[in-house]
């Protein structure tokens, strides 16, 4: 039995060995499937075939608006609706409802089979449910300020003068004070200034610090009251300017929000203009323009030339200047008759160019362009006489070079020959060599555009590209109730063609500096790399003070998207 078991075990061992030594097949991976490459399907761009329309660009809180995609194309599309801020404008199943106040953007993301996805947007404004029409030509001004207090008297003087004009200019002229609910109902509207004895205003603004102001709207049984307080006349100016900035402007007029409650400080602190530099020995110069070439400053301006032409002075420190010398003198054949005004010097493509005004043989003022290899000249005229129209007066031209390197000319159509005797600014494309205008001029705004304008004059334009925001800022001058000043306009698109809006705060005015009025500014960089403006002030010489050049350090304010004096 034992031998039999050993035989069986040996047999099994032999079979096992044979099995191990025989052919062995492991599991092999499946060979990869090689797919034929698919040809890329080119998607169609259909974005130009569709537009986004809204039932209204302005609604009140609680109101709804409808948004619609319009097209002549016969195509099935899918639309995904969205709002940029649901606290202002909510959206549910494609229905938009005003939920707050401010601006919000409606977006429609559109897709279709075989087409590229794209997005259409529209911006709408949501206004509060209740606001008061603020045409303040007829407002009731109540104040308990005593004329025996010099500070209070100064504030009162500003309010009944410049402040009244400032606010009424911001509203339409054909409206009276009304309250807006479901319909317009006439009601008295009062502006209470200072701590009056009126119950609703006692204590308002009593704890204001230096440079501070407050604005508060209060609804009472007798109508809406607007409480305005400030620590001094300087701050009161910014209180009124802030009020203007916060008015709700519609086709019906300008409105004060019923929930207005603002406490702030002056945008430009007192003392800011104390660091201005004054030219010490060059008097009776207007429209100054400064260039620094790495070694010295060159200042061009009206009144520096002898005879018919354009003059210049030089300096090492912006204070003491050389004797004037001519950089261009008109030959007889050009037929210049006078008014050799506002020579601006620009460095462009390796040369220096003067953009300047003169009165031609036809009796009209116009703008021409002159060229030189050095800032000291001599310059030669490169345009065929005036580059602007021969049918009306044009003055104060400037150069702007856009991000593509294309040159543009901006100039004034002078009020004396403009429609409605209101000066305008026009812009046109220049040839690359600056010898001619190659596009139709386009008007971008007129002298009545800003709230502060008390004149038909447009003067002294200069265009600056904001590094921080990409907006274009245009400096320009006109007159407010206190005289000549430097205003600002903004093109948020960064395009010279606009649209342009006026900035409430100015870069320089008598109301801010409390020294002289002044204007016609241009921008330059000093030897330390500091951005500066040059301008002249006062605008008219007196027995004690003659017109001369001022130089003010400035900087970008990216929060408010504008230029401000350097603090």
């Amino acid at each position: 039995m034992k031998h039999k078991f050993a035989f069986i075990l040996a047999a099994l061992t032999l079979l096992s060995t044979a099995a191990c030594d025989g052919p062995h097949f492991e599991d092999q991976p499946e060979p990869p499937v090689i797919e034929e490459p698919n040809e890329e399907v080119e998607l169609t761009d259909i974005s130009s075939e569709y537009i986004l329309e809204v039932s209204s660009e302005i609604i009140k809180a609680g109101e709804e608006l409808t948004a619609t995609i319009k097209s002549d194309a016969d195509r099935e599309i899918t639309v995904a609706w969205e709002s940029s801020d649901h606290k202002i404008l909510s959206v549910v199943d494609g229905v938009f409802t005003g939920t707050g106040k401010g601006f919000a953007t409606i977006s429609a993301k559109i897709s279709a089979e075989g087409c590229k996805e794209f997005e259409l947007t529209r911006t709408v404004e949501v206004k509060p449910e209740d606001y008061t029409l603020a045409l303040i030509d007829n407002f009731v001004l109540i104040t308990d300020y005593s004329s025996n207090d010099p500070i209070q008297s100064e504030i009162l003087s500003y309010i009944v003068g410049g402040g009244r004009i400032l606010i009424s200019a911001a509203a339409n002229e054909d409206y009276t004070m009304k309250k807006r609910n479901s319909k317009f109902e006439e009601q008295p509207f009062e502006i209470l200034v200072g701590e009056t004895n009126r119950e609703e205003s006692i204590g308002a603004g009593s704890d204001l610090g230096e440079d501070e102001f407050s604005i508060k709207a209060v609804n009472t049984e007798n109508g809406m009251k607007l409480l305005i307080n400030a620590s001094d006349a300087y701050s009161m100016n910014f209180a009124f300017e802030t009020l203007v900035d916060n008015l709700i402007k519609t086709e019906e007029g300008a409105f004060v929000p019923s929930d207005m409650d603002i406490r702030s400080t002056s945008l430009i602190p007192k003392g800011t203009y104390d660091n201005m530099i004054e030219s010490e020995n060059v008097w009776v110069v207007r429209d100054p323009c400064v260039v620094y070439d790495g070694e010295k400053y060159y200042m061009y301006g009206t009144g520096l030339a002898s005879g018919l032409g354009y003059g210049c002075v030089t300096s090492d420190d912006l204070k003491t200047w050389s004797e004037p010398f001519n950089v261009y003198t008109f030959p007889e054949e050009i037929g210049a008759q006078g008014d050799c005004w506002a020579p601006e010097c620009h460095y462009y493509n390796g040369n220096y160019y003067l953009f300047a005004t003169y009165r031609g043989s036809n009796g009209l003022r116009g703008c021409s362009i002159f060229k030189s290899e050095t800032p000291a000249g001599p310059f030669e005229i490169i345009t065929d006489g005036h580059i602007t129209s021969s049918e009306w007066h044009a003055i104060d031209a400037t150069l702007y070079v856009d991000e593509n390197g294309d040159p543009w000319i901006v100039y004034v159509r002078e009020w004396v020959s403009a429609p409605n005797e209101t000066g305008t600014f026009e812009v046109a494309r220049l040839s690359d060599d600056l010898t001619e205008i190659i596009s139709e001029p386009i008007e971008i705004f007129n002298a009545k555009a800003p709230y502060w304008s008390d004149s038909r004059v447009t003067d002294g334009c200069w265009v600056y590209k904001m590094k921080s925001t990409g907006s274009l800022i245009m400096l320009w001058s006109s007159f407010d109730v206190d005289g000549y000043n430097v205003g600002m306009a903004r093109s948020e698109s960064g395009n010279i063609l606009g649209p342009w809006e006026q900035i409430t705060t100015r870069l320089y005015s008598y109301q801010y500096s409390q020294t002289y009025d002044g204007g016609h500014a241009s921008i330059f960089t000093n030897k330390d790399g500091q951005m500066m403006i040059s301008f002249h002030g006062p605008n008219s010489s007196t027995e004690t003070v003659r017109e001369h050049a001022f130089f003010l350090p400035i900087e970008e304010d990216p929060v408010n998207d504008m230029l401000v004096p350097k603090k």
Side-chain angles (χ1 to χ4, degrees):
M1 184 70 179
K2 186 180 296 182
H3 293 292
K4 185 176 180 180
F5 175 77
F7 175 78
I8 294 171
L9 182 61
L12 289 170
T13 302
L14 181 63
L15 287 170
S16 174
T17 303
C20 290
D21 293 340
H24 179 68
F25 299 98
E26 295 181 354
D27 292 336
Q28 298 294 324
E30 293 291 331
V33 177
I34 301 175
E35 298 181 355
E36 294 294 328
N38 291 329
E39 294 184 6
E40 290 189 8
V41 178
E42 186 175 349
L43 300 178
T44 305
D45 184 356
I46 59 172
S47 58
S48 62
E49 300 177 9
Y50 294 83
I51 58 173
L52 170 58
E53 292 185 351
V54 293
S55 56
S56 175
E57 292 185 340
I58 302 174
I59 63 171
K60 290 200 300 181
E63 292 181 345
E64 293 182 353
L65 67 80
T66 57
T68 310
I69 303 297
K70 293 291 185 68
S71 175
D72 293 330
D74 185 15
R75 184 184 290 109
E76 187 173 335
I77 62 172
T78 301
V79 182
W81 297 99
E82 187 53 77
S83 167
S84 63
D85 191 337
H86 285 257
K87 294 180 181 179
I88 296 175
L89 188 69
S90 67
V91 56
V92 178
D93 297 329
V95 178
F96 291 88
T97 305
T99 53
K101 69 173 184 175
F103 291 88
T105 300
I106 292 173
S107 65
K109 296 181 179 179
I110 300 174
S111 58
E113 186 176 353
C115 302
K116 294 180 182 179
E117 290 188 359
F118 63 98
E119 184 178 15
L120 299 176
T121 60
R122 289 289 294 274
T123 299
V124 299
E125 182 179 6
V126 181
K127 298 182 180 297
E129 292 182 59
D130 180 29
Y131 47 93
T132 296
L133 189 62
L135 194 204
I136 312 184
D137 275 338
N138 302 316
F139 69 78
V140 180
L141 179 65
I142 299 175
T143 176
D144 285 347
Y145 276 142
S146 167
S147 59
N148 296 325
D149 185 321
I151 294 178
Q152 293 179 348
S153 179
E154 186 180 8
I155 294 176
L156 181 59
S157 175
Y158 171 77
I159 293 166
V160 299
R164 182 184 295 269
I165 293 173
L166 185 155
I167 300 177
S168 61
N172 295 338
E173 296 179 357
D174 298 329
Y175 290 85
T176 55
M177 303 312 305
K178 300 174 185 177
K179 171 85 170 176
R180 176 167 184 163
N181 290 312
S182 57
K183 61 180 180 178
F184 283 117
E185 297 176 354
E186 294 208 16
Q187 276 194 349
F189 186 96
E190 297 178 347
I191 293 183
L192 309 179
V193 182
E195 295 182 71
T196 77
N197 293 325
R198 300 290 288 269
E199 181 180 352
E200 58 268 26
S201 68
I202 290 178
S206 59
D207 59 343
L208 292 175
E210 186 177 1
D211 282 358
E212 275 196 318
F213 61 83
S214 63
I215 309 171
K216 186 175 180 61
V218 178
N219 284 299
T220 72
E221 293 180 356
N222 297 318
M224 184 175 177
K225 318 294 182 189
L226 192 61
L227 314 181
I228 303 178
N229 279 271
S231 57
D232 52 35
Y234 186 84
S235 303
M236 184 64 76
N237 175 81
F238 286 96
F240 276 93
E241 291 194 355
T242 301
L243 172 60
V244 169
D245 272 340
N246 284 273
L247 292 177
I248 300 170
K249 301 175 182 67
T250 72
E251 293 180 355
E252 299 164 324
F255 294 77
V256 173
S258 59
D259 60 350
M260 179 176 281
D261 190 356
I262 298 171
R263 183 177 180 133
S264 187
T265 57
S266 305
L267 183 60
I268 300 176
K270 277 184 296 187
T272 297
Y273 296 92
D274 293 346
N275 62 348
M276 287 191 302
I277 300 171
E278 296 187 47
S279 58
E280 295 179 348
N281 67 320
V282 180
W283 304 102
V284 194
V285 57
R286 297 174 60 85
D287 320 322
C289 177
V290 175
V291 169
Y292 180 66
D293 72 343
E295 295 182 358
K296 63 176 62 177
Y297 298 101
Y298 293 80
M299 180 167 67
Y300 313 82
T302 304
L304 293 178
S306 60
L308 292 176
Y310 306 106
C312 180
V313 289
T314 62
S315 175
D316 295 322
D317 59 6
L318 295 176
K319 292 182 179 180
T320 305
W321 296 83
S322 71
E323 290 296 318
F325 59 93
N326 277 23
V327 294
Y328 179 81
T329 301
F330 281 100
E332 290 185 9
E333 57 267 23
I334 290 183
Q337 300 297 307
D339 298 342
C340 300
W341 295 348
E344 275 190 9
C345 188
H346 297 267
Y347 185 73
Y348 170 75
N349 282 355
N351 290 288
Y352 293 87
Y353 293 85
L354 284 186
F355 283 59
T357 301
Y358 72 91
R359 178 164 45 86
S361 56
N362 61 356
L364 296 176
R365 287 180 285 273
C367 303
S368 298
I369 302 175
F370 307 77
K371 177 181 178 181
S372 173
E373 294 181 356
T374 72
F379 286 81
E380 62 179 73
I381 190 166
I382 61 171
T383 55
D384 184 12
H386 290 155
I387 198 172
T388 49
S389 174
S390 60
E391 298 179 359
W392 37 262
H393 292 283
I395 61 173
D396 294 358
T398 192
L399 172 68
Y400 171 67
V401 181
D402 65 21
E403 60 273 14
N404 298 318
D406 296 332
W408 298 78
I409 185 173
V410 187
Y411 59 88
V412 169
R413 182 169 181 178
E414 201 178 3
W415 69 273
V416 293
S417 59
N420 302 316
E421 293 190 339
T422 301
T424 64
F425 285 105
E426 295 192 352
V427 60
R429 175 80 159 79
L430 285 170
S431 60
D432 291 341
D433 62 2
L434 309 188
T435 59
E436 60 181 339
I437 288 176
I438 60 173
S439 72
E440 284 296 319
I442 295 174
E443 179 184 327
I444 53 176
F445 63 86
N446 65 40
K448 293 298 184 181
Y451 80 89
W452 48 261
S453 174
D454 192 42
S455 171
R456 297 170 292 181
V457 170
T458 44
D459 273 355
C461 47
W462 186 282
V463 182
Y464 173 80
K465 179 86 165 183
M466 291 280 286
K467 296 178 176 63
S468 55
T469 65
S471 296
L472 290 185
I473 302 296
M474 190 169 94
L475 310 186
W476 68 284
S477 288
S478 190
F479 296 83
D480 62 13
V481 293
D482 289 313
Y484 210 38
N485 62 87
V486 181
M488 291 180 284
R490 178 194 302 117
S491 171
E492 289 187 359
S493 68
N495 192 309
I496 190 66
L497 299 179
W500 290 87
E501 63 174 343
Q502 300 300 314
I503 299 174
T504 303
T505 303
R506 282 153 288 166
L507 195 52
Y508 182 84
S509 77
Y510 171 80
Q511 292 173 355
Y512 298 170
S513 72
Q514 295 294 302
T515 53
Y516 310 112
D517 70 336
H520 199 119
S522 60
I523 295 176
F524 68 100
T525 302
N526 73 5
K527 61 184 178 183
D528 297 320
Q530 171 63 52
M531 183 162 56
M532 312 278 288
I533 60 169
S534 58
F535 63 94
H536 73 260
N539 189 54
S540 299
S541 295
T542 66
E543 292 182 0
T544 56
V545 180
R546 294 193 287 177
E547 301 152 286
H548 59 288
F550 289 80
F551 312 104
L552 175 70
I554 62 171
E555 61 187 356
E556 293 191 6
D557 177 355
V559 174
N560 295 294
D561 197 9
M562 64 184 191
L563 295 171
V564 293
K566 188 174 178 63
K567 299 179 178 62

